[in-house]
Amino acid sequence: MSKLITAKDAEEMIRKGEQPSVGAVLTPSARDLFGSRLKPAVGTSCPGVSRNSTAAGIARGEFSWKPGGDPTTRAGIEKYFNSPALEVLKERICEMGRRLWQREYTDGNGGNITVRVGDNLALCTPTLISKGFMQPSDICLVDLDGNQLAGTRERTSEANTHFGIMKRQSAAKACVHAHPPHATAFSIANVDIPSCLIPEADVFLGKIGLAKYQTPGTAANADEVGEVGKSHQAVLMQNHGVIVWGADVEEAYWRVENIDSYCRVIWIAAGLGGGLHRFTGSQASELIKIRQKLGMPDARADLKECELCDSAEFRPGVLVPGSRSPAGTENADPAPDPEAELLVQQITDQIVKSLSNNGAPPVDGRNPPQ
Ligand SMILES: [Zn+2]
């Protein structure tokens, strides 16, 4: 079995001037401590990691597994769950949790993280825990139906929402769900997040999907989010928050940063009063090509250029088309009220008539307002 080197081990080794042996697996903190001191040949045999497989990059990159090789016995599952490769991933999940909490993308016990580690296996965060203070020993192993297979804490109730995406989109190797305040504000205000404003957002987020509100943790929510998430890497969950996915857990986490930063900038820019300048459909098309070269799906790939940036001009209060308010009324512009229309028309006629009389009292004898 490969030797796992933790941050504490790394400190001791650095103090003694030692280097990790070939094949050793370093935790992210240990890797950071070694930094440029690492020899390039170190750590080239980490099972399960398909790229960035030097020790310096061991925790990054898409995790791969042997297809058809999921352990099935109790002993096999425990061995895999406690393997160095999965210990590295657990520590990585905790690190992403710390970043979520430090950036105020989660509060209380909010948010959850999953990383796929087998045909039918995933690591996931437990329920009722602050994402800012997790330890690797808190992480659970579950199958993609949400059955807990290993770990001492109970898995998050929202794991099945992540698996709704993973089952439909094989490129989704890690998912992060959080409640970043600016993006979540868009989700509860029912305001569409416009595209064609910032090139990096169009490349790294693509078209942001919208999943209609469903009760968190339910099968209906998993289906709704899964259907949207299979073609959108960033999904706004109505009245809830966001869920994003990527090839690895850090890439997924970056998208939480991306979407909240994007919504924050739009919110600030919309308040400046000068309108928002959008780039053209042709320019958006170039960004989509960059996105496709990076291997990322885009729900807009089949659209014509003239359709890419032609959504309603964004302004605060533009509602998601066809969505419903909590009271069940359509959020599209309401149908005109005939009585109100008639009243407005009568008042308008009266004012026009009054003005045409050069200030003389209206013909019905009532005084104009003073
Ligand atoms: Zn949530």
Side-chain angles (χ1 to χ4, degrees):
M1 181 178 289
S2 305
K3 178 175 170 48
L4 177 67
I5 297 176
T6 64
K8 195 174 169 194
D9 297 331
E11 285 172 357
E12 180 69 13
M13 292 172 73
I14 290 167
R15 196 175 57 76
K16 292 180 180 171
E18 295 174 356
Q19 281 275 323
S21 57
V22 173
V25 176
L26 280 73
T27 66
S29 303
R31 185 200 65 222
D32 291 344
L33 284 171
F34 275 108
S36 59
R37 296 186 186 93
L38 282 172
K39 292 175 185 171
V42 168
T44 54
S45 60
C46 177
V49 177
S50 64
R51 61 181 164 91
N52 290 336
S53 58
T54 63
I58 206 82
R60 292 220 174 99
E62 185 174 328
F63 187 89
S64 67
W65 57 89
K66 187 180 167 193
D70 285 2
T72 52
T73 63
R74 171 57 41 205
I77 288 169
E78 283 296 329
K79 186 178 176 192
Y80 187 48
F81 181 58
N82 294 302
S83 65
L86 263 57
E87 289 299 324
V88 169
L89 279 181
K90 291 176 195 171
E91 189 155 335
R92 200 77 182 152
I93 289 170
C94 295
E95 184 182 322
M96 295 309 123
R98 280 191 286 277
R99 292 195 203 174
L100 286 172
W101 185 83
Q102 283 166 350
R103 297 292 298 263
E104 299 186 12
Y105 298 151
T106 63
D107 56 284
N109 64 303
N112 27 74
I113 302 171
T114 53
V115 177
R116 194 165 176 185
V117 294
D119 292 343
N120 190 33
L121 295 172
L123 291 175
C124 78
T125 50
T127 190
L128 297 175
I129 194 170
S130 167
K131 300 305 160 299
F133 302 91
M134 296 185 297
Q135 299 296 323
S137 57
D138 294 321
I139 305 303
C140 316
L141 182 72
V142 294
D143 66 27
L144 297 194
D145 291 319
N147 300 305
Q148 185 146 355
L149 303 174
T152 55
R153 297 185 68 119
E154 186 183 348
R155 58 107 170 144
T156 169
S157 61
E158 290 189 280
N160 283 330
T161 309
H162 299 223
F163 303 148
I165 297 175
M166 288 181 180
K167 284 178 176 179
R168 290 170 172 87
Q169 173 52 267
S170 60
K173 298 293 174 55
C175 291
V176 176
H177 163 59
H179 311 141
H182 301 90
T184 303
F186 275 71
S187 85
I188 63 173
N190 252 357
V191 175
D192 197 9
I193 302 177
S195 54
C196 303
L197 289 172
I198 297 178
E200 285 85 352
D202 271 47
V203 170
F204 294 109
L205 291 170
K207 174 66 184 166
I208 297 166
L210 175 73
K212 297 281 178 64
Y213 180 81
Q214 301 285 349
T215 304
T218 62
N221 196 42
D223 283 342
E224 171 68 20
V225 170
E227 282 300 312
V228 178
K230 71 182 176 189
S231 53
H232 298 84
Q233 283 191 290
V235 178
L236 191 66
M237 299 167 73
Q238 196 173 38
N239 291 83
H240 190 159
V242 302
I243 187 164
V244 296
W245 60 263
D248 65 70
V249 68
E250 182 160 7
E251 187 186 300
Y253 166 77
W254 287 343
R255 293 206 167 87
V256 181
E257 285 191 0
N258 291 151
I259 192 169
D260 202 57
S261 171
Y262 184 55
C263 290
R264 184 166 178 243
V265 170
I266 293 170
W267 171 57
I268 293 169
L272 297 178
L276 303 180
H277 177 259
R278 305 178 89 173
F279 39 77
T280 65
S282 164
Q283 290 165 327
S285 175
E286 290 174 17
L287 299 173
I288 291 171
K289 283 179 192 145
I290 294 173
R291 191 172 157 75
Q292 288 174 319
K293 274 187 193 161
L294 293 170
M296 298 186 281
D298 197 302
R300 304 166 297 175
D302 296 329
L303 294 180
K304 296 174 187 157
E305 284 185 2
C306 61
E307 297 171 310
L308 292 174
C309 299
D310 67 349
S311 59
E313 193 70 24
F314 174 79
R315 62 186 188 279
V318 172
L319 302 174
V320 176
S323 62
R324 289 178 178 276
S325 72
T329 53
E330 286 291 329
N331 276 335
D333 287 341
D337 178 342
E339 284 188 25
E341 292 284 311
L342 183 62
L343 187 61
V344 169
Q345 189 59 54
Q346 287 172 339
I347 293 170
T348 306
D349 289 347
Q350 214 170 63
I351 292 169
V352 170
K353 209 165 195 175
S354 169
L355 291 174
S356 67
N357 287 341
N358 290 326
V363 288
D364 65 1
R366 281 185 294 173
N367 292 326
Q370 298 298 306

